[in-house]
Amino acid sequence: FGAGNVISLFSNTYPNVPVDTWSASWDQADLTDLQIAGNDAKKYANLVFAGIEFTSQPVNAAAMTHFYFDLWTPNPTAGVVFKVKLVDFGANGTFAGGDDTEHELTFDTASTPALVTGNWIRFDIPFTAFAGLTTRGHLAQLIIAGGLNTVYVDNVLFHK
């Protein structure tokens, strides 16, 4: 993607916007920052759900069309799900301020993309798939959850 068409939360390719935390105090996950073949990545272990917050400087992704990230897991994927939720704090920029919107998507071995063990999975999700996320001008949270105990995450961004 051209740099002018991307808002990056985490990538070695693009400049990143500020993210307050990649593992919020209220989540249930252990985060490790590491490198894989010289490339920065995030490892979530003991994952029940992880809260990634960019609340101090919400992202205006209104002009973007897709949410993108790469995921790798060593865990068996049969019979488990992986969930991704985006939360927009609305025009007032405040959680539970009355104008929040959000939507959670669920992925498994039969979804597109499909969960697989031991291979990088490219998630390039059109915002239209997040039907309940009716505003994107003040995105402030990304929550990942599900039955995969360990996941590696890279290239977390919005693009058009």
Side-chain angles (χ1 to χ4, degrees), residues 1-92:
F1 314 110
N5 296 323
V6 170
I7 299 170
S8 177
L9 298 177
F10 180 73
S11 166
N12 285 113
T13 305
Y14 306 100
N16 297 320
V17 299
V19 173
D20 299 309
T21 182
W22 284 91
S23 183
S25 60
W26 45 263
D27 74 14
Q28 294 181 16
D30 298 324
L31 171 65
T32 304
D33 288 314
L34 50 84
Q35 287 197 330
I36 300 171
N39 186 47
D40 295 325
K42 306 262 182 210
K43 175 186 178 184
Y44 290 94
N46 303 311
L47 176 67
V48 177
F49 62 95
I52 297 107
E53 294 191 310
F54 28 103
T55 54
S56 65
Q57 296 183 48
V59 171
N60 182 351
M64 300 293 120
T65 59
H66 288 72
F67 173 57
Y68 179 100
F69 67 99
D70 294 316
L71 180 105
W72 188 93
T73 184
N75 301 130
T77 55
V80 299
V81 299
F82 180 75
K83 298 177 183 181
V84 177
K85 180 191 284 188
L86 289 172
V87 182
D88 185 281
F89 282 4
N92 67 8

Side-chain angles (χ1 to χ4, degrees), residues 93-108:
T94 304
F95 177 68
D99 59 354
D100 300 0
T101 65
E102 64 181 52
H103 193 88
E104 182 176 73
L105 297 174
T106 301
F107 299 91
D108 59 24

